[in-house]
Amino acid sequence: MNPKYAPLFQTYTLNNGVTIKNRLVVAPMTHFGSQTDGLISDQERTFLSNRAGDMGMFITAATLVQKDGKAFHGQPEATGEHCLDSLKETAQILQQQGAKAILQIHHGGSKAIDDLLDGLDKISASASETEHAREATAEEVEVLIASYAQAADLALRAGFDGVEIHGANGYLIQQFYSAQSNRRNDQWGGSLENRMRFPLAVIDAVVAVREKHQRNDFIIGYRFSPEEPGDDGLTMTETGALIDALVQKPLQYLHVSLWEFDKKIRRGGDTAQTRMQFIHERINGKLPLIGVGNLFTADQILAAYETGWAEFIALGKTVMINPHIATQIREGREDEIETQLDPTRADHYGLPDTLWGFASSGTQSWLPPVKGVEWKPMDI
């Protein structure tokens, strides 16, 4: 290994005593690879089997907790006992490569896809005519919270090292926290404190699962998006308040969702400051932070880590292009790392067919750059 990259391979011990072997994390990536019933497929096995080597943690694709929240074709599920064997296999595939296996648990809320719901109503914090969603009843809110707990229970029994609660990217949990999508007038809406009640209740329910099993070594993380567009969208003010509440919970880490690691603040803070810096300073050492955002090369990854704004660096798009990127860095082969996907080499990447179709066409801006295709970064 080139000695300058050694900091990326330092261990880190979480507050529950679990040691992560280095600072590199596979970010949760939508792979569109599970079977229609949400169970593991051969293509998903291929995708998972060669991307966790020399990584500290591998966070899975957003895994569904309740049938009415399915937001992706080929989305994996943790919706009931029938998922247990599939989840066990997923955890084992990742752990056999030496990484901590973290199951990201998710509900799409109003972003669920109608055609995937088998006639179930689409529900969210409040009704949305444009997204054909209705407001969840008070009873349904309680069931939603319990569904995250059930998914965490399945993950623990399946042998995962932990779960990550998906509170980002405009999905259900963020829909409850944002005044833009939550217009309720009960205990789950209105004031900032009431809107925060749902994400905190989900965390409490997941923590209760860990306590029930007496498994303090089970990792619980939380992912969030720092800002939203729109007049009533989240700003850094609301994100700061959320962070203040999250660090009081018995979590092991926080994980920010960002398009660019060094993106500046737009609203609710010093616009000369990056979102990463604001968040890290607000956490103030109480929990480790996973940073992310368009980092492709070893030098870019190292530079992000050396800002001191994150204890861990998550990699997504570059892991699609370079399944063995952590090993390449560790073995001093960083010059082999590619920054663009080659659409003529389908057999090189091990991507499920649907994901390959999106990626190789260059039509989805959240996917890696493609050779020969003009690529415009998303502005978020």
Side-chain angles (χ1 to χ4, degrees):
M1 186 198 319
N2 185 326
K4 75 176 184 178
Y5 299 118
L8 298 175
F9 292 87
Q10 297 177 93
T11 61
Y12 187 97
T13 301
L14 301 172
N15 60 15
N16 64 345
V18 174
T19 296
I20 310 300
K21 69 180 182 182
N22 62 44
R23 307 308 179 93
L24 299 175
V25 176
V26 177
M29 293 181 282
T30 304
H31 53 55
F32 307 101
S34 296
Q35 298 176 166
T36 56
D37 59 4
L39 304 184
I40 192 169
S41 70
D42 286 342
Q43 290 193 355
E44 187 178 0
R45 291 181 180 94
T46 298
F47 178 80
L48 296 173
S49 65
N50 66 350
R51 284 181 162 82
D54 288 309
M55 287 286 183
M57 291 189 283
F58 188 114
I59 304 169
T60 69
T63 300
L64 185 63
V65 302
Q66 188 168 292
K67 290 286 188 179
D68 57 9
K70 194 163 189 174
F72 314 105
H73 289 273
Q75 182 174 10
E77 295 189 17
T79 54
E81 291 293 322
H82 66 286
C83 301
L84 190 57
D85 287 344
S86 176
L87 293 169
K88 286 179 180 178
E89 185 176 353
T90 300
Q92 289 167 4
I93 289 171
L94 301 178
Q95 292 164 341
Q96 286 167 2
Q97 298 172 70
K100 297 293 185 186
I102 309 296
L103 188 77
Q104 189 185 70
I105 51 179
H106 164 271
H107 188 290
S110 63
K111 287 193 171 185
I113 298 175
D114 293 296
D115 292 345
L116 301 179
L117 304 187
D118 294 329
L120 296 171
D121 286 352
K122 187 189 297 186
I123 57 175
S124 181
S126 295
S128 170
E129 290 186 13
T130 57
E131 295 176 305
H132 310 108
R134 66 169 175 80
E135 180 173 298
T137 66
E139 293 78 12
E140 287 172 330
V141 173
E142 298 292 348
V143 172
L144 285 166
I145 293 167
S147 72
Y148 284 92
Q150 174 184 247
D153 186 80
L154 288 167
L156 189 152
R157 290 191 288 124
F160 275 89
D161 297 290
V163 293
E164 177 174 283
I165 299 166
H166 194 337
N169 303 120
Y171 293 114
L172 180 72
I173 293 178
Q174 187 173 325
Q175 289 163 24
F176 268 90
Y177 187 47
S178 172
Q180 186 156 268
S181 47
N182 186 343
R183 299 173 300 282
R184 302 176 72 97
N185 55 16
D186 62 1
Q187 64 173 325
W188 304 105
S191 67
L192 182 146
E193 290 75 18
N194 279 1
R195 287 185 279 112
M196 195 185 295
R197 193 184 303 274
F198 183 79
L200 298 184
V202 170
I203 293 170
D204 289 345
V206 171
V207 168
V209 169
R210 178 173 65 188
E211 292 175 346
K212 179 186 74 172
H213 288 277
Q214 299 183 335
R215 282 286 307 279
N216 187 57
D217 61 328
F218 190 70
I219 298 164
I220 302 174
Y222 187 94
R223 196 177 202 202
F224 61 94
S225 294
E227 293 191 75
E228 291 178 322
D231 292 342
D232 294 322
L234 295 174
T235 73
M236 300 307 292
T237 300
E238 288 83 14
T239 293
L242 179 63
I243 290 168
D244 292 345
L246 293 175
V247 298
Q248 301 301 316
K249 296 294 182 180
L251 299 169
Q252 277 60 67
Y253 71 80
L254 300 181
H255 184 185
V256 63
S257 179
L258 282 174
W259 182 257
E260 295 178 4
F261 185 87
D262 57 359
K263 191 75 171 181
K264 298 288 183 64
I265 289 172
R266 284 187 177 172
R267 298 181 299 173
D270 181 356
T271 56
Q273 189 179 41
T274 68
R275 293 162 171 172
M276 284 295 310
Q277 185 178 2
F278 173 99
I279 292 165
H280 196 260
E281 290 178 357
R282 191 70 173 243
I283 294 171
N284 194 28
K286 294 172 183 174
L287 289 172
L289 176 64
I290 302 177
V292 69
N294 266 349
L295 305 172
F296 287 93
T297 69
D299 283 341
Q300 289 171 342
I301 296 164
L302 179 63
Y305 178 72
E306 288 184 335
T307 62
W309 299 337
E311 283 71 29
F312 296 91
I313 302 296
L315 307 173
K317 291 187 282 290
T318 193
V319 175
M320 288 190 191
I321 305 172
N322 304 281
H324 308 289
I325 187 169
T327 301
Q328 288 171 314
I329 298 172
R330 186 181 64 80
E331 293 181 351
R333 298 186 288 119
E334 60 275 1
D335 58 339
E336 298 175 7
I337 295 171
E338 301 176 25
T339 58
Q340 291 184 314
L341 184 145
D342 186 343
T344 69
R345 303 173 67 196
D347 60 345
H348 178 68
Y349 302 103
L351 302 181
D353 289 343
T354 301
L355 179 57
W356 173 254
F358 285 141
S360 60
S361 67
T363 59
Q364 302 289 322
S365 59
W366 55 271
L367 287 166
V370 179
K371 289 182 180 179
V373 177
E374 183 180 359
W375 181 67
K376 295 179 181 180
M378 185 183 296
D379 184 25
I380 60 172

